[in-house]
Amino acid sequence: EDTVQPVQYVYKDYVKAPASGQYGDARSLKRFFNGNNYRKEWTTPVNLKVFNINKEKGGFTIEGVGGGKQTRTLKLKDKDGREWALRTIDKDPTSAIPQNLRHSFASNIVQDLISAAHPYAPLAIPTLADTTNVLVAEPTFYYVPDDPSLGYYRPLFANKICMLEWKDPEEQTDSKSSFKLFNSMRENNNHTVDQEAVLRARLLDMLIADWDRHFDQWRWVTRDTGHGRLYIPIPRDRDQAFFYSDGLIVKYMANRRIPFLKGLRKRIPDINRLNMVSKDFDRLYLNSLDETAWHRVALGFTEKLTDSRIESAIRKMPEEIFEISGQEIIDKLKSRRDLLMHESLKYYRFLSKEVDILGSNENEKFSISKQNDSLKLTVVSYNKYADTNFVMYERVFDPQVTREIRLYGFNGDDKFEVDSNLHSNIRIRMIGGRGNDSFFIKSRLRSFIYDNVIDTNYVASGRG
């Protein structure tokens, strides 16, 4: 049971309160199995501003409630129409646990293991992100009082520590979800993603051992490129940043079943498994970067992340919290930064074994040619007006790294063309989709063709 004491909101602007009161009462046996984790950070009182919904940022109106299975989010709108989110810091995993286990010993263990997440980690992220040119929103922590102005949502947020965050970190910008972005890219082949910006954001995830980076953890803002829209990623929800547990249960799960729970250590034990939750996201939004580009981005990222910037970031946490484990986290981040280039290139090679390249519902031409001992893929948007055609995708694939490439045409009248005299160990799978697609295979390349309506399409093979 949370033991944070209620504070009369009408009397104080600031109060001293802990992030949660439910992780401190842990005897030696519980600490042996569940870990010491960040219990002190959760239970140490810090000075917090009291949230006044009628005055903060000029006053908010409540738009509704949201959040995932473990956190609650109050959706707010300020007087200028900007959208904000007020999220609880502590979690309630009840809805994520099967109903027949919700009041069991197992439920108590799951709740207690939340102490392995650092409650104040989100405060350090903006400085790390700004240093490495990653776009993020800057959060502010508040104590939410038992305020009648919260109305129907009063029982959900009263007497809790919450984080206020602007939905869109740029003025006059309406961000998209990953789902809406995917649909936009499928309908318009001049809508693309800044993949180097995605990589910088993902390198930050790897640095801070944030393993929970699925599609819902991102928003996207756009830039006009002159012939289309370029999308920039905004990582959100840093609930698992700096995750670490020294308990027997998490150690067992990390070694046997859930390896990404190894968490924030000076080493990066297994970079591929750390990114297990994110690999589908990465396959979609990091598929145009070759090893040279990846190396260049990672080098720039690590060079900008100096010792002083890391220290400055961690000192954004409350002073009482920094004194507990701040220096230890700094030392871990410095060590991980020094290893990040080498380790992230391992992950590059893992992602590059099999690569998916997606077209759109418009017309595309996929051309495969030889470049030295490698295979070059170029995807062009085309129609009868030649001056509107442009290169959507271009990458050279090393057969020592890549085993298979899958090309998806989706709708539209797409063309797939393989040059003559091209030999490679890389398998090519061409998936035409709907539309009148054409396949021109002029070499003995290991290629496979898939299409919805084969009798309306054209296939020409020069393989003899």
Side-chain angles (χ1 to χ4, degrees), residues 151-194:
Y152 177 79
Y153 305 107
R154 184 176 175 184
L156 300 178
F157 293 90
N159 305 315
K160 296 187 184 297
I161 311 303
C162 293
M163 180 177 69
L164 181 69
E165 195 173 62
W166 193 2
K167 176 185 171 185
D168 298 312
E170 293 189 327
E171 289 279 3
Q172 300 177 337
T173 299
D174 183 20
S175 63
K176 288 180 180 285
S177 66
S178 294
F179 177 75
K180 289 183 178 179
L181 168 64
F182 182 83
N183 285 340
S184 294
M185 292 176 66
R186 294 294 65 75
E187 293 301 322
N188 305 279
N189 56 23
N190 62 354
H191 286 217
T192 56
V193 162
D194 185 341

Side-chain angles (χ1 to χ4, degrees), residues 64-247:
V65 69
K69 290 184 176 181
Q70 299 186 44
T71 58
R72 297 189 184 98
T73 300
L74 193 64
K75 299 177 182 179
L76 304 172
K77 186 172 286 188
D78 66 19
K79 59 182 178 60
D80 298 320
R82 295 176 297 189
E83 296 179 346
W84 298 73
L86 186 73
R87 299 176 60 236
T88 55
I89 298 303
D90 203 1
K91 301 180 184 301
D92 180 2
T94 303
S95 60
I97 298 173
Q99 193 164 0
N100 60 331
L101 296 176
R102 288 182 182 177
H103 301 288
S104 67
F105 179 66
S107 175
N108 294 334
I109 292 176
V110 172
Q111 179 69 66
D112 192 65
L113 287 177
I114 288 170
S115 62
H118 197 299
Y120 298 98
L123 293 174
I125 303 306
T127 300
L128 295 173
D130 182 63
T131 300
T132 54
N133 196 22
V134 177
L135 185 62
V136 298
E138 189 159 353
T140 307
F141 278 48
Y142 291 90
Y143 179 92
V144 179
D146 191 7
D147 185 350
S149 297
L150 295 174
Y152 177 79
Y153 305 107
R154 184 176 175 184
L156 300 178
F157 293 90
N159 305 315
K160 296 187 184 297
I161 311 303
C162 293
M163 180 177 69
L164 181 69
E165 195 173 62
W166 193 2
K167 176 185 171 185
D168 298 312
E170 293 189 327
E171 289 279 3
Q172 300 177 337
T173 299
D174 183 20
S175 63
K176 288 180 180 285
S177 66
S178 294
F179 177 75
K180 289 183 178 179
L181 168 64
F182 182 83
N183 285 340
S184 294
M185 292 176 66
R186 294 294 65 75
E187 293 301 322
N188 305 279
N189 56 23
N190 62 354
H191 286 217
T192 56
V193 162
D194 185 341
Q195 296 206 4
E196 292 193 4
V198 175
L199 178 55
R200 289 194 299 271
R202 291 289 294 117
L203 288 170
L204 179 58
D205 297 338
M206 298 175 211
L207 175 79
I208 62 179
D210 189 349
W211 50 266
D212 188 23
R213 305 305 301 157
H214 52 79
F215 283 89
D216 289 341
Q217 306 285 52
W218 302 81
R219 301 288 297 182
W220 303 83
V221 294
T222 62
R223 304 281 189 272
D224 190 353
T225 64
H227 66 260
R229 306 297 294 176
L230 181 68
Y231 289 87
I232 313 296
I234 308 173
R236 303 188 306 161
D237 300 346
R238 290 299 186 180
D239 297 334
Q240 303 303 335
F242 307 151
F243 178 93
Y244 180 74
S245 175
D246 55 358

Side-chain angles (χ1 to χ4, degrees), residues 124-136 200 204 207 297 299-314 316 337:
I125 303 306
T127 300
L128 295 173
D130 182 63
T131 300
T132 54
N133 196 22
V134 177
L135 185 62
V136 298
R200 289 194 299 271
L204 179 58
L207 175 79
V297 173
L299 180 62
F301 181 95
T302 54
E303 286 181 341
K304 289 178 180 177
L305 207 60
T306 62
D307 288 356
S308 62
R309 294 302 290 171
I310 291 175
E311 291 165 9
S312 176
I314 304 307
K316 296 292 184 182
R337 174 205 56 199

